[in-house]
Amino acid sequence: MNVTIDQLRPGTFGVSHGGGIPGAIIRSATGSWAGHAFLYLGNGQIVSGQPPKAAQEPASTYTDAIWAWRMWDQLQASGWSADKVAAAQALVGQRGRAEIGTPYDFAAYAGFAAEVLHLRTAAQLAPDFQVDHWRVCSAIVADALDAGGVPLNFTAEDGPSVIGRQDTKVVMPPNLVAPGMLLGIGQRLEWM
């Protein structure tokens, strides 16, 4: 764990190595250490997307967590006011709590595989996933951050080679965001 739980602010995301078959599949497909993602809700609790549905659990569940604990400070340093940060944190937390109980999205694995194998692009898959209300772990994080207006503009260095040009920035549909992409953007933007 890169920081203690008492250093976290609500709306902060974290990633871990991830266990079980879903984590192994994600790590294998993406080549990333990260196989699981979750969102800190406050009071020592997170929301975590897992089969069969997203659940609230103690943040201490993932002892190998790497947290984006500097995200809110970095956003403020980039020009966000303290009020904008507070409002975004509230919206992220509200959306994260609303995701509790959301069914797990096994179909996202097929979409993500099609993208990694360059059979379909994010733009081609987006219409299917914009109406999809199921969620994998990283989709919960991406969806909640999107609700708070946190920019997730991924580049090729952030993810599993899903973006052709190194300098191109793209916004992915939430269900096509992998834990490794969250780890990548967090490291690139010095949120972690």
Side-chain angles (χ1 to χ4, degrees), residues 24-42:
I25 291 170
I26 291 168
R27 289 189 310 273
S28 177
T30 64
S32 176
W33 170 86
H36 191 50
F38 31 84
L39 184 71
Y40 186 67
L41 300 173

Side-chain angles (χ1 to χ4, degrees), residues 25 51 103-115 120 125 128-129 131-136 139 175-176:
I25 291 170
Y104 194 74
D105 191 357
F106 291 101
Y109 286 90
F112 187 70
E115 190 172 10
R120 304 275 308 272
L125 291 166
D128 297 325
F129 286 103
V131 297
D132 180 357
H133 300 290
W134 297 356
R135 294 287 181 254
V136 293
N175 272 4
L176 296 179

Side-chain angles (χ1 to χ4, degrees), residues 73-177:
D73 292 332
Q74 294 288 64
L75 288 169
Q76 193 163 349
S78 74
W80 284 33
S81 69
D83 288 343
K84 183 174 180 176
V85 167
Q89 282 180 289
L91 290 169
V92 170
Q94 180 182 21
R95 182 65 186 151
R97 283 186 289 284
E99 295 279 8
I100 296 168
T102 302
Y104 194 74
D105 191 357
F106 291 101
Y109 286 90
F112 187 70
E115 190 172 10
V116 169
L117 295 171
H118 302 289
L119 301 174
R120 304 275 308 272
T121 66
Q124 291 169 324
L125 291 166
D128 297 325
F129 286 103
Q130 286 173 342
V131 297
D132 180 357
H133 300 290
W134 297 356
R135 294 287 181 254
V136 293
C137 60
S138 45
I140 287 174
V141 172
D143 189 41
L145 293 175
D146 182 60
V150 175
L152 292 179
N153 299 316
F154 296 102
T155 66
E157 69 182 288
D158 298 331
S161 303
V162 296
I163 303 161
R165 290 185 36 166
Q166 189 70 19
D167 59 345
T168 302
K169 292 184 179 178
V170 285
V171 176
M172 306 289 283
N175 272 4
L176 296 179
V177 173

